[in-house]
Amino acid sequence: MAGCVARRALAVGSRWWSRSLTGARGPRPLCVAGGAGAFPPAASTTTRRHLSSRNRPEGKVLETVGVFEVPKQNGKYETGQLFLHSVFGYRGVVLFPWQARLYDRDVASAAPEKAENPAGHGSKEVKGKTHTYYQVLIDARDCPHISQRSQTEAVTFLANHDDSRALYAIPGLDYVSHEDILPYTSTDQVPIQHELFERFLLYDQTKAPPFVARETLRAWQEKNHPWLELSDVHRETTENIRVTVIPFYMGMREAQNSHVYWWRYCIRLENLDSDVVQLRERHWRIFSLSGTLETVRGRGVVGREPVLSKEQPAFQYSSHVSLQASSGHMWGTFRFERPDGSHFDVRIPPFSLESNKDEKTPPSGLHW
């Protein structure tokens, strides 16, 4: 690890990433611990100036995996850009960008208060603005270290057969906001371990970044565009807990002489404060164009009651919903608990469930 003096670190589960601050203008190496459990919790980073052998388990060292680049304030990252996720800390590579409409209720324009209506609209007038998100691959080596904070199978599809509830997932695919990208470069020709990396990307040292899209990536994007497309992002903050929701239409199935429309939705919870809180309950209201209004209450989310702290401030998961109508709305609250036992509710921003007008056959699998 010559020349890589770690003075700032990002915790990734029990894995550590280090960014050298040696030399204000020189290259800053990105280093990774050689195994899980390599260092104590992040709270101790303020007192540790150097990562010495005393801090590492026997046989575990920091290995340089690349050099950080300056994040882009404007413009988009290109296909093949390597990056470190600024929140969840995994290594990844950009496949292609999406232009989404971000509805941020925290910066909503002033409007008269309105009563909540069955369509799920809240009390603020929200205007969408264009924002860049990226379809990315997650390095499989990092998946075990982020599994308690972020699902690594966030992209699911309806199976192409009669069982309308059958789903299949593509492990290691994620959607990442532009501001969450910490770009870096690497001399490794296969810097990301994922079964699709070499199928989708080709090393070309004359390019920058040196990984270019293969025809298989372009064909896969075109074929699965209706089921991958990220169009709307909804965001709202309550008592320093920010909730971001991204809905995706998955397609329609026929069941018992009726049509059933399916969506998945990805939710990210972020604690913007230093106080520790724990998610205890969820309360959903689901309105269908057919006129039905369903209420769903339950403990936690996806079988978990995540703790959000200063060291691990975010949690991300995906779930699914079906309606017997081509559109609808969802909204609700998450109930959080403080260390003193008190509770508070965090609003889930209302979001639309819209079906694609041009129905296409859902994908049947990863076949080329």
Side-chain angles (χ1 to χ4, degrees), residues 1-4 28-32 61-67 91 185-187:
M1 198 187 72
C4 185
R28 299 185 297 178
L30 168 64
C31 306
V32 58
V61 297
L62 287 178
E63 300 174 354
T64 301
V65 298
V67 177
R91 287 165 289 182
T185 59
S186 173
T187 58

Side-chain angles (χ1 to χ4, degrees), residues 20 22-23 25-29 67-68:
S20 170
T22 304
R25 297 182 181 275
R28 299 185 297 178
V67 177
F68 276 104

Side-chain angles (χ1 to χ4, degrees), residues 6 18 76 117 120 181 209 250 255 260 309 324:
S18 304
K76 296 191 293 288
N117 61 48
I181 298 284
M250 297 178 64
V260 179
S309 63
Q324 290 186 328

Side-chain angles (χ1 to χ4, degrees), residues 106-133:
D106 300 332
V107 294
S109 59
E113 293 293 318
K114 301 176 183 178
E116 187 180 84
N117 61 48
H121 300 294
S123 60
K124 298 178 182 178
E125 179 184 351
V126 184
K127 295 183 179 180
K129 63 178 182 179
T130 302
H131 194 72
T132 303
Y133 275 73

Side-chain angles (χ1 to χ4, degrees), residues 183 211 274 304 319 347 359:
F211 304 99
S274 59
R304 301 182 187 178
S319 192
R347 291 185 295 274
E359 286 287 343

Side-chain angles (χ1 to χ4, degrees), residues 329-368:
H329 286 81
M330 290 180 65
W331 69 100
T333 56
F334 291 120
R335 176 155 293 184
F336 280 84
E337 182 178 358
R338 301 183 180 94
D340 63 6
S342 62
H343 295 84
F344 63 98
D345 288 337
V346 171
R347 291 185 295 274
I348 304 171
F351 57 96
S352 298
L353 301 173
E354 300 291 346
S355 60
N356 292 355
K357 294 181 180 179
D358 297 326
E359 286 287 343
K360 296 182 180 180
T361 303
S364 58
L366 291 179
H367 302 297
W368 316 109

Side-chain angles (χ1 to χ4, degrees), residues 239-241 270-278 307-313 336-339 344:
E239 296 200 33
N240 289 316
I241 304 298
E270 293 177 86
N271 185 358
L272 306 180
D273 203 352
S274 59
D275 296 335
V276 177
V277 296
Q278 184 169 12
V307 174
L308 304 183
S309 63
K310 185 177 181 180
E311 291 76 29
Q312 295 190 349
F336 280 84
E337 182 178 358
R338 301 183 180 94
F344 63 98

